Structures are given as C-alpha cells and as structure tokens.
Amino acid sequence: MYHHWYHILTKTNQCGCPQILVVEEEFFNRVVMDTALKKLGVTADFAVDGYDALDQIEERVSAKKECCTFYRCIIMDYRMPQMTGVETTKRIIEKYGQGVHSSCRPIIAHSAYGEPEMSEFREAGAVGVLAKPLNFEHLSQLLKKHNVLM
C-alpha cells in the first residue's frame, strides 16, 4: 500500500516543486517535520515565520509555473515571532482565497497549544490541527483527508 502512495506522489510531482510549505520557527521542529514528510514521499519548503511564509508564497505564485502555482498544503505553527500563525493564515486566505476554486490549499495548524488557541486557528481558516509533539499517523491521516496524499 505504501508503494501505491509513493507512485502517485512521484507521478504528481515530477516537476520537483515542493508540495507543502511548513511554517515553523524552531529548527528542531522543522527537522522532525522534514523527516516525517520525507517518509511519506512528500517534499516541503520551510519558512521560519509568517513574513517568510508570505514571501515564499508570493515568490511561488509570481513564478507562474504551469506545474505548481501554489502549495498543495500549508502546515502552520501557532506561536512565532512578529506574526502569529493565526494572523499569517488570515493574510494568506485574504490574498489567495480559500476552498476548491481558490489558489490557496488547506492550512493545517501545528501547535502544542490546546483550546482556545486552536479554535482561533480554525476560525481563521485552518482545516485541521496537528498537535506537538508530532504524531506521524495523525500527519498522514490529515494529509490524506485533504488530498495531499492519495
């Protein structure tokens, strides 16, 4: 079964463009996420804060590649310097829209915080929540649910 997912992922990503943007300030958490995503056969770009994420998204969109105009998913940390994950999520959705017919793909919150912070994230437009420390199975399930993994 894993082989089947790998085949679909490599088939849909022949261009080599990263499929996911991970927005995470902590180096260790970026390494853990990168390792987990690679095990799933998924490539990612990494941003260290909200401003970096907005810049990387704008760069990707303005490149106007035929293959990958937007990330298939964004995994967003909650607490970051300068701009929170909630504020970054709001700005992304304001600029690129949300839903099937928009440029923006699912934004998944990634945080060690519980309620009410995660409610605030969902109200901003996040479609799911990944708890810290990262649970590989939950990551896999969320990515399948939002069609990042087939």
Side-chain angles (χ1 to χ4, degrees):
M1 198 145 141
Y2 178 80
H3 176 72
H4 177 68
W5 294 339
Y6 180 76
H7 175 72
I8 291 170
L9 284 168
T10 55
K11 191 172 183 181
T12 60
N13 194 35
Q14 289 177 347
C15 61
C17 295
Q19 299 165 306
I20 293 177
L21 176 63
V22 177
V23 187
E24 170 62 60
E25 69 169 313
E26 296 292 333
F27 175 76
F28 177 76
N29 292 336
R30 289 193 304 268
V31 170
V32 169
M33 183 64 73
D34 189 40
T35 301
L37 291 171
K38 283 179 180 173
K39 284 182 181 179
L40 292 169
V42 180
T43 55
D45 280 336
F46 290 85
V48 296
D49 61 33
Y51 290 107
D52 188 20
L54 295 172
D55 288 346
Q56 287 193 47
I57 291 167
E58 183 59 34
E59 225 175 89
R60 178 117 174 209
V61 170
S62 63
K64 297 183 180 174
K65 291 183 176 183
E66 289 181 29
C67 55
C68 302
T69 56
F70 207 87
Y71 293 99
R72 293 177 71 189
C73 176
I74 299 170
I75 298 174
M76 182 79 63
D77 187 22
Y78 175 77
R79 185 169 306 278
M80 297 180 290
Q82 300 176 26
M83 185 188 322
T84 68
V86 171
E87 180 60 30
T88 307
T89 296
K90 287 178 182 177
R91 289 188 186 195
I92 292 168
I93 291 171
E94 283 172 11
K95 185 162 186 174
Y96 301 103
Q98 186 177 29
V100 177
H101 301 293
S102 72
S103 299
C104 187
R105 297 299 181 253
I107 298 174
I108 296 172
H110 187 221
S111 180
Y113 293 91
E115 299 299 332
E117 290 85 359
M118 293 305 97
S119 292
E120 186 182 6
F121 235 135
R122 284 189 286 277
E123 288 171 16
V127 298
V129 176
L130 265 174
K132 290 181 183 177
L134 182 64
N135 177 301
F136 182 80
E137 288 304 315
H138 190 217
L139 171 65
S140 178
Q141 289 169 2
L142 271 174
L143 294 179
K144 286 178 203 170
K145 178 180 179 181
H146 296 290
N147 298 316
V148 179
L149 292 178
M150 306 296 175

